Amino acid sequence: MAAIMIDGKAVSGRLRQEMTAEVAAMKAAGITPGLGVVLVGEDPASQVYVRNKMRACEELGIHSQDYRLPGDTTAEALLELIRELNCREDIHGILVQLPLPAQIREEAVIAAIAPEKDVDAFHAKNVGKIVQGNYDFLPCTPAGVLELIRSTGISVAGKECVVVGRSNIVGKPMAMLMLHENATVTICHSRTQSLPEMTRRGDILIVAIGKGKYITGDMVKPGAVVIDVGMNRDENGKLCGDVDFASVEPVAGYLTPVPGGVGPMTITMLMRNTITAARLARKACP
Ligand code: GUN
């Protein structure tokens, strides 16, 4: 039996439609959600991401403004811009595209963003709130994955969920969200012994390790929900996930394709966080 495909584009499209109506209602009430997008340097992948984020804002009626700084920008200059954006009443969300050039410490930049404008949910205060289960923002990729799992109609409570990858952006918050959903959660990583044994336990298997086609069919429990967060190029330059689609598809119950699975959801969740930030907005500056 072949896996049922989880269509990230379709789920994302439905959510964006709802959000478009929400933004229109907010505008009618005098609030236009606004997102400030900061890009330092010329990284081509980052330029594509930033363009897609701004395009999504436009589609939904969200105001967006980009700030493109040269690659040799100093940390102080970037922090100054963030302080300015923290005080802007028309900018409710601030997104600093990562990675940053080597001379700028990412942690210092993340710490400088006002937590109520931190639409990536990277600030320590927001991470702490997520751990406590009392949060305003969820990081965009884990939030998108949760929506995709919900779209299957499979109930998560009590299930074995295995997360492969422990990054601050995906693996760690993802595990926490699944715990809040009452799954029994295991986090695996590059140092995990007997990885196939662990991944085969997962009724839900979420893979974010950044290694192309790493999870093969023999590592998957028959009928499992498999979510592939990876985005890699294979030996022919073709986009591929962390999951080996050809061998997993006959084993899994549900599977996200790459592209067209998690990818479209991430920006949609950024839009949701920007709308939330606009709702939360309070005058924090003089
Ligand atoms: N670079 C890669 N992923 C992300 C993300 O989710 N947010 C930001 N700000 N930069 C990224």
Side-chain angles (χ1 to χ4, degrees):
M1 260 260 296
I4 296 170
M5 285 303 111
I6 303 177
D7 185 344
K9 267 195 208 159
V11 176
S12 168
R14 283 198 292 276
L15 291 170
R16 287 194 194 192
Q17 215 170 5
E18 288 168 21
M19 286 183 216
T20 303
E22 219 174 311
V23 171
M26 289 174 81
K27 282 178 157 173
I31 304 165
T32 300
L35 178 67
V37 181
V38 181
L39 175 60
V40 185
E42 318 260 299
D43 180 66
S46 290
Q47 284 175 332
V48 173
Y49 291 137
V50 162
R51 189 179 336 125
N52 289 342
K53 287 168 185 178
M54 297 195 63
R55 192 179 293 155
C57 283
E58 197 177 333
E59 271 171 36
L60 269 67
I62 292 174
H63 164 65
S64 72
Q65 192 165 344
D66 60 336
Y67 299 84
R68 291 169 191 263
L69 307 178
D72 61 358
T73 297
T74 62
E76 189 43 45
L78 178 56
L79 292 173
E80 185 52 40
L81 171 62
I82 290 170
R83 285 193 284 269
E84 181 196 321
L85 294 176
N86 282 343
C87 290
R88 282 269 296 272
E89 286 185 25
D90 60 329
I91 298 292
H92 305 102
I94 300 170
L95 181 132
V96 179
Q97 186 66 31
L98 304 179
L100 290 168
Q103 75 274 15
I104 303 178
R105 259 192 344 114
E106 281 178 6
E107 306 87 84
V109 173
I110 290 167
I113 296 172
E116 64 273 19
K117 295 193 176 188
D118 170 35
V119 285
D120 270 320
F122 291 166
H123 191 287
K125 184 172 174 189
N126 288 321
V127 175
K129 289 176 80 164
I130 291 163
V131 173
Q132 291 182 332
N134 159 38
Y135 44 79
D136 302 307
F137 306 114
L138 288 178
C140 302
T141 301
V145 169
L146 190 56
E147 291 289 347
L148 291 180
I149 293 170
R150 287 194 176 130
S151 78
T152 66
I154 300 264
S155 87
V156 173
K159 297 275 166 61
E160 288 252 12
C161 175
V162 177
V163 178
V164 188
R166 55 174 160 177
S167 69
N168 287 337
I169 294 186
V170 185
K172 283 186 211 168
M174 191 72 243
M176 205 46 70
L177 291 199
M178 297 311 282
L179 189 60
H180 294 326
E181 296 292 316
N182 298 309
T184 300
V185 183
T186 305
I187 306 176
C188 300
H189 46 80
S190 55
R191 304 284 290 272
T192 296
Q193 291 183 357
S194 318
L195 183 66
E197 226 169 89
M198 306 298 278
T199 54
R200 270 198 300 270
R201 293 175 60 119
D203 301 304
I204 299 164
L205 178 60
I206 302 169
V207 189
I209 38 168
K211 292 181 187 163
K213 304 185 187 181
Y214 193 75
I215 300 291
T216 46
D218 57 310
M219 299 167 77
V220 173
K221 181 174 183 172
V225 177
V226 180
I227 307 286
D228 187 352
V229 183
M231 183 72 86
N232 314 284
R233 297 267 169 200
D234 71 6
E235 58 283 3
N236 304 314
K238 208 170 147 251
L239 270 185
C240 71
D242 292 349
V243 171
D244 177 43
F245 190 90
S247 67
V248 170
E249 193 259 353
V251 181
Y254 292 86
L255 177 59
T256 58
V258 176
V262 175
M265 294 298 292
T266 298
I267 294 181
T268 301
M269 294 299 109
L270 173 68
M271 300 297 106
R272 172 178 286 170
N273 283 349
T274 304
I275 294 168
T276 302
R279 289 195 194 288
L280 290 175
R282 60 178 176 82
K283 292 191 176 94
C285 298

